[in-house]
Amino acid sequence: MNSAVPLVFSEEISDALATGKPVVALESNVITHGLPYPDNAATARKVEAAVRSGGAVPATICVDDGRIRVGMTDADIERFASTPGIPKVSSRDLPVVLARGGMGATTVASSLVAAELAGIPFFASAGIGGVHRGAERTMDISSDLVQFTRSKVAVVCAGAKKILDLGLTMEYLETQCVPIISCGSDDFPAFYCVSSGLRSPHRIDDVALIAAAIETHWALGNENSILITAPIGQADAIGDDEVESVIAGAMAAADAEGVRGNAITKYLMRAVDEATEGRSAKANMSVLISTAELAGRLAAAHAELRTKDLS
Ligand code: PSU
Ligand code: MN
C-alpha cells in the first residue's frame, strides 16, 4: 500500500480483508447529496444491511479529517448524513481535499480509487454518472466513466438515471473496452425505470457465471472495471413517459438558472424527485437496496471462485 495515501480501515473491514471475506465498497455522495436527512441515514443503513444479506461485508467510503475512511461506522454515517455542506469529491478532487483535511463525500469515481487502494474488487451504487444530454455542446461526461477505464473493480448498478444520455453512455463504455453484463433483463436499466430502451450487450442471470466472467475479464489482462447491471423491481418502478417529461422541464430550468458543471447532477435529480413526489423516494430506496443485495451475492460468489482456484 502507498504510505502517502492515508487510508483508515474500520475494524470489521480490516478483519474481513485479512481473512478473505467478500467486501463491497459503497459511495458516500449518495448520502450527502442524493437524499435529504434523515432518509439518507436510514437508507445508507438499509443499503449496508442489503450487502450483508447478500453475503458480503459493506465498506462505505468517505473522506474524513484528510483521510480516506474505508468502512464508516454508524456514527460516521449519522454525522455525514446530518452535516450540511460536505463537498462532493470526485477523483480529481481527492488530492486537494485529502491534503487540506476535512470531510468529503465520495462519488462513484473516487470510491473506486479508494476501493482499489484498499484491495476491494466490488463496488455498488444504484446510479452511476454518465454522458450528459447535450454533451456534444458541453462536453459534460462524468468522471465515473473515465475512472471505469482505470480501476480494476466490478461495479454493480441499476444503470443510470435518464437525466443522462444513456445511448452515448453505453457507446463510451464500449469504446473504452468496459464490459456490461445485465442480470435479470435483456436491457440496460435506467435507475427508476426498468429499461432504458437500449439492449444490453450481454445478459447473464446466473450469479456464479457472472463472477466467472468478472474473473476472466481480469485474467485477460484488463486493468479496468466491468459493469454489472440489474433493474429496479417492477412494483417500485416509475413509468418512462413520466420521467421523460419531468427531465425535459428540469433541463430547461437548469439552463435558465445557469446551473453548470458538477452541480447539474444534483439539480436534475432533485427536480425529478420533486415532480414524482413520494414515489421517487420509494423507488430510490428500492433500487439502492436491490443493487446492494446483488453486489453482496456477486462478491460472495467471486470470493468462493477465488478460494476454489487456490485449492
Ligand atoms: N446518479 C444517481 N445518484 C447519484 C449520483 C449519480 O442516480 O447520487 C452521484 C454519484 O455519486 C455519481 C455522481 O458518482 O453523482 C456523478 O456526478 P457527475 O455527473 O458530476 O460526475
Ligand atoms: Mn460533470
Side-chain angles (χ1 to χ4, degrees):
M1 199 177 302
N2 187 338
S3 59
V5 180
L7 281 180
V8 189
F9 294 85
S10 70
E11 210 172 300
E12 185 184 24
I13 297 302
S14 65
D15 172 67
L17 291 172
T19 54
K21 285 198 192 116
V23 177
V24 174
L26 301 162
E27 59 157 312
S28 49
N29 185 55
V30 67
I31 303 175
T32 58
H33 291 69
L35 293 162
Y37 184 79
D39 289 353
N40 55 357
T43 304
R45 292 187 185 111
K46 286 185 184 162
V47 166
E48 290 205 338
V51 169
R52 288 186 203 282
S53 77
V57 185
T60 307
I61 289 173
C62 66
V63 175
D64 199 10
D65 200 17
R67 298 174 302 171
I68 296 177
R69 201 175 277 292
V70 182
M72 290 170 75
T73 63
D74 222 48
D76 292 329
I77 287 175
E78 185 63 28
R79 189 162 47 91
F80 272 71
S82 60
T83 304
I86 298 174
K88 167 176 169 177
V89 176
S90 196
S91 306
R92 58 146 195 229
D93 310 303
L94 262 181
V96 176
V97 179
L98 286 173
R100 277 213 178 114
M103 296 159 88
T106 52
T107 63
V108 172
S110 56
S111 300
L112 290 181
V113 172
E116 191 169 35
L117 283 172
I120 301 172
F122 276 84
F123 169 82
S125 177
I128 57 168
V131 179
H132 281 257
R133 296 186 185 196
E136 65 278 11
R137 204 169 23 86
T138 62
M139 287 186 69
D140 193 350
I141 298 174
S142 173
S143 310
D144 292 355
L145 298 188
V146 178
Q147 197 61 50
F148 294 161
T149 73
R150 303 179 181 182
S151 294
K152 207 173 156 183
V153 177
V155 175
V156 186
C157 66
K161 284 186 181 153
K162 284 192 174 171
I163 57 171
L164 302 168
D165 186 324
L166 299 182
L168 289 186
T169 300
M170 288 179 77
E171 286 294 347
Y172 187 97
L173 294 171
E174 180 179 320
T175 300
Q176 296 293 339
C177 317
V178 177
I180 301 173
I181 299 173
S182 292
C183 179
S185 167
D186 289 333
D187 290 352
F188 190 75
F191 198 88
Y192 297 125
C193 306
V194 175
S195 169
S196 62
L198 300 161
R199 204 177 169 89
S200 182
H202 302 285
R203 172 179 180 165
I204 308 178
D205 291 350
D206 174 7
V207 163
L209 191 56
I210 298 174
I214 292 168
E215 197 50 25
T216 306
H217 176 60
W218 294 326
L220 286 164
N222 295 296
E223 300 281 338
N224 61 357
S225 300
I226 174 166
L227 215 65
I228 297 94
T229 73
I232 186 171
Q234 193 82 53
D236 294 319
I238 298 180
D240 294 355
D241 295 349
E242 185 181 352
V243 170
E244 200 54 56
S245 67
V246 169
I247 292 168
M251 283 186 68
D255 205 36
E257 289 175 35
V259 181
R260 306 225 191 299
N262 76 348
I264 289 264
T265 299
K266 184 175 177 182
Y267 182 93
L268 295 178
M269 288 191 324
R270 280 282 187 276
V272 176
D273 289 350
E274 276 163 30
T276 54
E277 294 171 342
R279 284 186 312 117
S280 73
K282 192 163 171 242
N284 214 325
M285 188 137 1
S286 159
V287 70
L288 281 162
I289 289 170
S290 60
T291 306
E293 199 266 343
L294 174 62
R297 283 193 285 136
L298 279 167
H302 184 255
E304 203 174 310
L305 196 79
R306 284 196 167 170
T307 317
K308 265 194 220 143
D309 282 353
L310 291 175
S311 62

